Amino acid sequence: MADTNNTNPLDVNDGSDDSVEEIGPESVSQGVESTSTKQRKKRKKTSDVWRSFEMLPQKPNEPLYCKCKKCGTKYQAESKHGTGNLRRHRDACNNSNTRDIGQYMISSNNGVMATRNSKFSQETFREMVTHAMVRHDLPFSFVEYEGVRNFCKYLEPEASLVCRNTTKSDIKKLYAAQQKRLRDELLRCPSRICLTSDAWTSIVTDGYLSLTAHYVDSSWVLQKRILNFSHFPPPHTGVAIAEKLGELIKSWGIEKKLFSITLDNAASNDVCVELLKNQFRLMNSLVYDGRLFHLRCCAHILNLIVQDGLKQIDVAVEKVRDCVKYIKGSTLRKDRFIQICSQNLLDHKKALVQDVPTRWNSTYKMLSCALYYHLAFSHLSLSDSNFQTCPSSDEWDRVEKMCSFLKVFHDATLQFSGSLYPTSNLYFPQIFGIHLKLVETKDSPDEYMKKIATQMWSKFSKYWADFNLLLAIAVVFDPRYKFSFVEFSYKKLYGEGSSQLKKVEEALFALFDEYMQASQESSIGNVGGGSGSGDFNSRQASVGNVGGGSNHSILEEFDEYDNDDMDSNKKSQLQVYLLEPRTKRTSSINILEFWQSQQYRYPELAKLAMDILCVPVSTVASESAFSLGGRVLNEYRSSMKPDIVEAVICSRDWLFGEKVDTHVDVDKLTQNVMDMNIAEDKTEVTSSNKL
């Protein structure tokens, strides 16, 4: 095709035909216009098609020709002919498929050897570059590095790296395509969707809001997806958060598929949840009238409880801290301590841990390691006169009690903050263990431990009623515990006839009845809805009527007799499940695989189990998104626009997920959970989410 425009149509990223050259304006020599002599102003050929063709010398009074580098076929190269014919020949050239043996790869398919052509594709190459940049947090200027370009040219001469701006455009296109795919997946998933959300401040003080979805897919696998990492400038009031979350939820079209939302323990989030509840109640889209919609982050609550109890550290803990500081103070002391450990047959590789006073989990780790080396500390106090801070035997006993007390909270926090995001049935036994430990310790004869437990108990009892209902219902769907564990727990805590136990039982059966009713309404709506099922039912009825009307009336009488006989003993799916024997408690089972195998026996109950088990009890999923955001938006790329930040973070999560970080450091993942400031006499907890 001939180019009739003066503008440059050559663009390597455009698939249209490109012109070879064009006639430039008349040249001017020494200020005098020459009308007899005109010069051609040749323009640089930027089309990728010229890599496959070679220009031939132009003969007088003949058109300009070029030839294919592979097969030698000649084509006219004048601008009026364009490059469309050249491009078509390049794609169909026979010799390009057999230029050398290196283009063939040998593949094996069930032992049969076959040849496979490895024809280079520029589109696939650009897609792989985009994926690599998203996956490995590479800067956009990576594609412009001369060394990278030379490397790609060496591997494939036809490879062409684009500029950084084109790479941004490719990432946006990738984000849009994956967003559409995820939206369809969310709308098709059989379970309801649970959300977690949290706010974050970047290194340049830009506010962001993370929204994460948790659901069970059609294969009964628990999934986690970062839906949004949206720019959200302050102030982060409850009304502003509710408006932003409502806008994001509606943009995904999942407002009628929500089950719960998990937020941290901030006063603004309470206002936000009430506004969202009222909004979704009008759509009649919440289960159990939204009474289970809001769940407070259990990891934040536990951290709040422990920090409140450890405001005053015992002298024994201070001495252990001073011991660790003393040994880590010089290399000679470290070497001397290693020698003492060897003499006492202790493993010196289990290194001492220096705690951060504002993070109770690091204090627990310090005490745990110090207890292991307490004999070495005692030995060092005898041989080193400068070592005066070694705890006494009574103080070591108090340290052991403190360590045993904190271990329950530490183990629960690790499980709540698990990088694999376990199902919700695992949490009630942890909370019950903490409840029981606090009750036992606050009645302890040790005044220090009693004081700590009493302070913690007042805070724990304040939040216990908020999250025990949903977590207690979730443990019922674990065949190792069922409702028996809930009864056992409440009887252990409150005695016989507990009102708390009745609340759990009423909520459980009300939830199941709601799911049964929804299933019946769905079945009624489907009756006669399709011609195939209606025809099948009518054919079945006609078969049943064969033999005359009298026989039909007798069969109907038998049906009524059978139903009357069974009605008195008929039990619901939930009742049958609860009456069945429990699985051995110590057995290891995959709870989702169990309910997948039971979905045909208990269809409605399995649907309820699917929705309950995917409820997250912490906002660590959002905290992990902030950790990823800190790597994407660091001090070297602080000027990145919010839409690009969201495209990179979300695309990386959607494409690669947990494949990127296979070994997650729980300490780093829960850093924001631990770095919290307690406001006296307030319910709000502020998290220092700034990098």
Side-chain angles (χ1 to χ4, degrees):
M1 296 177 61
D3 183 15
T4 60
N5 298 325
N6 289 331
T7 56
N8 184 4
L10 300 179
D11 186 0
V12 69
N13 300 321
D14 191 358
S16 61
D17 296 341
D18 301 323
S19 62
V20 178
E21 60 184 16
E22 69 174 4
I23 305 300
E26 298 177 356
S27 62
V28 179
S29 176
Q30 298 179 358
V32 179
E33 182 178 2
S34 174
T35 59
S36 60
T37 304
K38 295 183 180 180
Q39 297 179 352
R40 289 177 179 269
K41 183 180 179 181
K42 294 186 177 181
R43 196 169 49 184
K44 183 179 180 181
K45 300 177 178 63
T46 59
S47 177
D48 60 339
V49 76
W50 293 110
R51 299 189 186 95
S52 302
F53 289 86
E54 179 183 355
M55 299 300 299
L56 298 177
Q58 186 176 9
K59 298 180 181 179
N61 301 324
E62 289 187 8
L64 182 64
Y65 283 92
C66 65
K67 72 173 182 179
C68 176
K69 294 180 180 179
K70 307 295 190 306
C71 64
T73 304
K74 295 181 181 181
Y75 286 93
Q76 290 192 24
E78 297 287 351
S79 61
K80 62 181 180 180
H81 296 290
T83 59
N85 55 345
L86 306 181
R87 191 181 301 277
R88 286 188 290 272
H89 174 80
R90 182 197 63 180
D91 296 338
C93 182
N94 294 328
N95 286 4
S96 64
N97 297 335
T98 56
R99 62 181 176 183
D100 54 55
I101 194 64
Q103 283 195 324
Y104 287 95
M105 297 179 65
I106 304 301
S107 62
S108 175
N109 185 13
N110 296 327
V112 179
M113 303 301 293
T115 60
R116 176 172 61 86
N117 176 255
S118 60
K119 186 177 180 180
F120 175 76
S121 171
Q122 178 68 23
E123 292 75 13
T124 304
F125 173 70
R126 282 177 57 175
E127 182 180 356
M128 294 180 68
V129 170
T130 304
H131 283 201
M133 297 187 68
V134 168
R135 183 171 188 173
H136 301 293
D137 301 326
L138 299 175
F140 295 135
S141 58
F142 173 81
V143 295
E144 297 180 348
Y145 293 163
E146 184 177 356
V148 174
R149 290 178 177 269
N150 294 336
F151 172 75
C152 294
K153 283 289 184 182
Y154 174 76
L155 294 178
E156 177 53 62
E158 295 183 6
S160 176
L161 285 172
V162 296
C163 65
R164 67 180 71 187
N165 292 329
T166 306
T167 302
K168 292 180 183 179
S169 178
D170 289 346
I171 290 178
K172 289 182 179 180
K173 291 178 183 178
L174 175 67
Y175 168 72
Q178 293 299 319
Q179 186 181 43
K180 183 179 182 302
R181 182 194 61 79
L182 179 59
R183 178 186 171 91
D184 295 339
E185 180 180 342
L186 292 175
L187 295 178
R188 290 196 309 265
C189 76
S191 75
R192 283 184 171 263
I193 297 171
C194 303
L195 302 175
T196 56
S197 180
D198 207 349
W200 177 71
T201 304
S202 70
I203 192 172
V204 291
T205 67
D206 287 335
Y208 287 87
L209 185 73
S210 173
L211 181 64
T212 307
H214 307 257
Y215 59 96
V216 177
D217 62 16
S218 57
S219 301
W220 286 80
V221 177
L222 185 62
Q223 301 289 348
K224 174 194 73 73
R225 297 289 185 273
I226 301 176
L227 298 185
N228 295 95
F229 198 83
S230 182
H231 186 238
F232 185 49
H236 297 165
T237 62
V239 176
I241 296 174
E243 290 179 353
K244 186 66 174 180
L245 288 178
E247 175 187 345
L248 296 177
I249 291 170
K250 289 181 180 178
S251 68
W252 288 95
I254 58 174
E255 59 271 15
K256 290 186 177 296
K257 295 197 65 173
L258 297 182
F259 188 86
S260 70
I261 185 169
T262 304
L263 302 171
D264 62 16
N265 191 46
S268 58
N269 286 333
D270 295 338
V271 177
C272 166
V273 169
E274 290 302 318
L275 293 174
L276 289 177
K277 273 186 183 179
N278 295 333
Q279 180 180 354
F280 294 134
R281 278 193 186 117
L282 296 176
M283 304 178 188
N284 195 27
S285 60
L286 295 182
V287 176
Y288 198 43
D289 196 33
R291 278 174 278 186
L292 302 179
F293 180 64
H294 182 207
L295 186 68
R296 299 178 187 273
C297 176
C298 293
H300 283 178
I301 291 178
L302 287 184
N303 182 64
L304 176 67
I305 292 170
V306 178
Q307 280 190 350
D308 196 47
L310 296 181
K311 287 182 177 178
Q312 295 181 352
I313 296 296
D314 187 64
V315 177
V317 178
E318 293 285 359
K319 285 188 175 182
V320 171
R321 184 177 294 150
D322 292 337
C323 289
V324 176
K325 288 181 180 179
Y326 179 82
I327 294 173
K328 287 180 171 287
S330 69
T331 305
L332 293 177
R333 296 171 189 169
K334 292 179 183 179
D335 294 339
R336 175 59 180 159
F337 187 75
I338 291 175
Q339 293 177 2
I340 294 176
C341 289
S342 300
Q343 294 173 5
N344 289 274
L345 302 180
L346 299 175
D347 183 12
H348 67 272
K349 294 182 180 180
K350 186 180 175 66
L352 293 173
V353 176
Q354 178 68 57
D355 75 327
V356 179
T358 57
R359 296 183 61 186
W360 66 266
N361 65 326
S362 65
T363 302
Y364 162 75
K365 290 182 179 180
M366 179 189 70
L367 298 179
S368 178
C369 292
L371 279 174
Y372 178 79
Y373 291 115
H374 76 277
L375 290 178
F377 282 120
S378 301
H379 192 150
L380 182 63
S381 64
L382 298 175
S383 60
D384 188 349
S385 60
N386 295 323
F387 184 53
Q388 302 291 334
T389 58
C390 183
S392 62
S393 58
D394 293 338
E395 289 172 334
W396 278 118
D397 291 339
R398 288 211 300 274
V399 169
E400 186 175 3
K401 291 179 181 178
M402 173 66 72
C403 192
S404 175
F405 179 72
L406 292 179
K407 186 178 187 303
V408 180
F409 293 89
H410 182 262
D411 293 344
T413 301
L414 290 183
Q415 192 167 44
F416 291 165
S417 307
S419 59
L420 299 180
Y421 308 101
T423 49
S424 57
N425 62 296
L426 303 176
Y427 296 112
F428 186 80
Q430 294 286 341
I431 295 295
F432 166 69
I434 290 174
H435 194 299
L436 197 62
K437 190 72 174 179
L438 286 174
V439 172
E440 293 175 353
T441 308
K442 70 186 183 70
D443 296 331
S444 171
D446 190 317
E447 291 298 326
Y448 175 68
M449 297 302 301
K450 181 177 181 179
K451 181 180 179 181
I452 290 178
T454 303
Q455 290 176 339
M456 291 185 179
W457 173 253
S458 62
K459 189 73 69 175
F460 180 85
S461 58
K462 176 181 178 180
Y463 296 113
W464 168 250
D466 288 337
F467 58 63
N468 68 340
L469 185 61
L470 183 59
L471 299 183
I473 292 175
V475 80
V476 173
F477 292 94
D478 191 329
R480 297 168 296 185
Y481 295 99
K482 294 191 176 182
F483 200 77
S484 301
F485 185 77
V486 181
E487 291 178 328
F488 169 79
S489 301
Y490 281 102
K491 287 180 181 179
K492 195 81 172 175
L493 297 173
Y494 304 111
E496 296 287 344
S498 169
S499 60
Q500 298 286 340
L501 181 62
K502 294 180 180 178
K503 288 182 181 179
V504 176
E505 186 175 7
E506 291 174 359
L508 174 62
F509 279 87
L511 265 177
F512 174 72
D513 292 341
E514 186 172 331
Y515 273 68
M516 284 294 299
Q517 183 179 357
S519 177
Q520 292 171 1
E521 292 175 355
S522 176
S523 299
I524 294 173
N526 290 333
V527 171
S531 59
S533 60
D535 292 342
F536 176 79
N537 291 334
S538 63
R539 288 195 299 270
Q540 290 293 95
S542 64
V543 172
N545 288 336
V546 173
S550 58
N551 185 39
H552 175 61
S553 61
I554 292 175
L555 293 178
E556 283 187 344
E557 183 179 350
F558 169 74
D559 292 339
E560 294 175 359
Y561 168 80
D562 185 58
N563 288 335
D564 291 339
D565 184 58
M566 293 182 63
D567 282 343
S568 59
N569 297 323
K570 190 175 182 180
K571 293 182 174 60
S572 67
Q573 298 174 26
L574 177 59
Q575 291 171 324
V576 173
Y577 165 72
L578 294 178
L579 289 174
E580 288 183 342
R582 290 185 292 108
T583 307
K584 188 176 180 181
R585 187 192 60 81
T586 56
S587 62
S588 177
I589 64 171
N590 185 312
I591 189 68
L592 292 177
E593 290 181 357
F594 168 81
W595 279 105
Q596 183 182 18
S597 65
Q598 301 294 320
Q599 61 181 322
Y600 300 108
R601 291 186 62 201
Y602 312 117
E604 287 76 23
L605 189 62
K607 180 67 171 63
L608 176 58
M610 175 184 283
D611 295 341
I612 287 284
L613 293 174
C614 67
V615 175
V617 297
S618 74
T619 60
V620 174
S622 297
E623 302 288 353
S624 63
F626 299 150
S627 177
L628 177 58
R631 295 196 298 269
V632 172
L633 198 66
N634 54 34
E635 61 269 24
Y636 303 107
R637 296 195 292 176
S638 58
S639 61
M640 192 181 298
K641 293 183 178 180
D643 60 333
I644 297 295
V645 174
E646 183 174 27
V648 171
I649 292 177
C650 293
S651 298
R652 178 175 177 177
D653 181 74
W654 300 342
L655 287 171
F656 308 109
E658 299 300 326
K659 296 178 182 178
V660 179
D661 296 321
T662 54
H663 301 285
V664 180
D665 190 337
V666 176
D667 289 339
K668 293 181 179 179
L669 192 63
T670 59
Q671 182 175 359
N672 288 334
V673 177
M674 296 302 176
D675 294 340
M676 303 181 70
N677 302 319
I678 303 177
E680 292 289 347
D681 301 326
K682 294 182 180 180
T683 60
E684 181 175 356
V685 177
T686 58
S687 177
S688 56
N689 286 332
K690 295 182 180 180
L691 294 178

